[in-house]
Amino acid sequence: MIYGNIHAPESSSAYSETIQKAIQILKETDVTDMHHGKYPLDGERLILQINEITTGPKETKRPEVHKKYIDVQYMVHGHEYIGFYPDQKKVEVLEDQLDKNDVLFYKEDASVNEIMLPMTDGCYAIFFPEDVHRPCCQMGQAEDVKKIVLKIRVDTL
């Protein structure tokens, strides 16, 4: 997992070329007139999703992982927490949609020591297949947010 802000000076040499490209896309893409939906940038290799959603209580959001894609979640406008913990394959599976939608949901498990990452304007978090994440958790009150999720095929790294 990588956590940062596009306005912070970073040493991009620490990231793969694909991750550097993803961060550059976040910096350069004007999503003002883009609305909820998927926008392929490089076929199935790189997909930009616009999510216009309402955050909710953590207990109503499901921890998830992906196997074919890396998630680069970027907060355009709003506030949310994204839960995170390493996938140690110890938590019981709630729903497996890996073949159909590249997502596997886990049951709630208080023993995993989940960290809640604060996502505010400009923040991004990059989740790899071994990273369980729980997006859209509210900070305080429920809030309408706009975010980009760049889906990067794992085999492009």
Side-chain angles (χ1 to χ4, degrees):
M1 192 273 301
I2 299 171
Y3 176 74
N5 189 296
I6 64 166
H7 304 296
E10 297 178 333
S11 174
S12 62
S13 62
Y15 303 149
S16 73
E17 185 178 322
T18 305
I19 298 297
Q20 290 177 44
K21 178 182 175 183
I23 293 170
Q24 196 62 35
I25 289 169
L26 297 178
K27 288 179 179 181
E28 296 174 353
T29 303
D30 180 5
V31 297
T32 304
D33 295 324
M34 297 173 77
H35 297 286
H36 197 85
K38 291 185 180 184
Y39 303 85
L41 300 179
D42 185 7
E44 293 296 311
R45 295 167 49 102
L46 182 63
I47 301 167
L48 185 142
Q49 286 181 202
I50 302 293
N51 291 345
E52 295 173 308
I53 54 175
T54 303
T55 61
K58 173 185 168 188
E59 300 76 28
T60 67
K61 306 301 176 184
R62 301 183 292 178
E64 63 186 59
V65 292
H66 310 286
K67 296 302 173 200
K68 294 179 187 172
Y69 286 92
I70 295 164
D71 264 10
V72 181
Q73 300 214 9
Y74 169 67
M75 183 59 69
V76 175
H77 180 69
H79 304 85
E80 76 170 340
Y81 282 120
I82 296 180
F84 159 75
Y85 59 90
D87 189 358
Q88 298 178 25
K89 311 275 191 237
K90 295 179 181 178
V91 179
E92 188 177 343
V93 172
L94 178 65
E95 184 178 0
D96 184 342
Q97 295 184 17
L98 287 172
D99 290 338
K100 183 178 178 184
N101 296 317
D102 191 43
V103 64
L104 181 140
F105 295 104
Y106 284 120
K107 287 189 175 182
E108 185 74 27
D109 186 334
S111 72
V112 297
N113 296 319
E114 183 174 17
I115 297 168
M116 301 306 287
L117 302 170
M119 299 290 288
T120 58
D121 294 11
C123 287
Y124 63 86
I126 303 173
F127 299 102
F128 297 89
E130 62 274 8
D131 299 326
V132 178
H133 54 287
R134 183 195 314 237
C136 307
C137 300
Q138 69 189 39
M139 288 179 130
Q141 299 297 318
E143 177 181 347
D144 293 334
V145 301
K146 185 171 190 176
K147 60 193 278 189
I148 294 174
V149 179
L150 278 177
K151 304 290 257 179
I152 304 170
R153 278 191 65 99
V154 171
D155 61 9
T156 63
L157 293 181

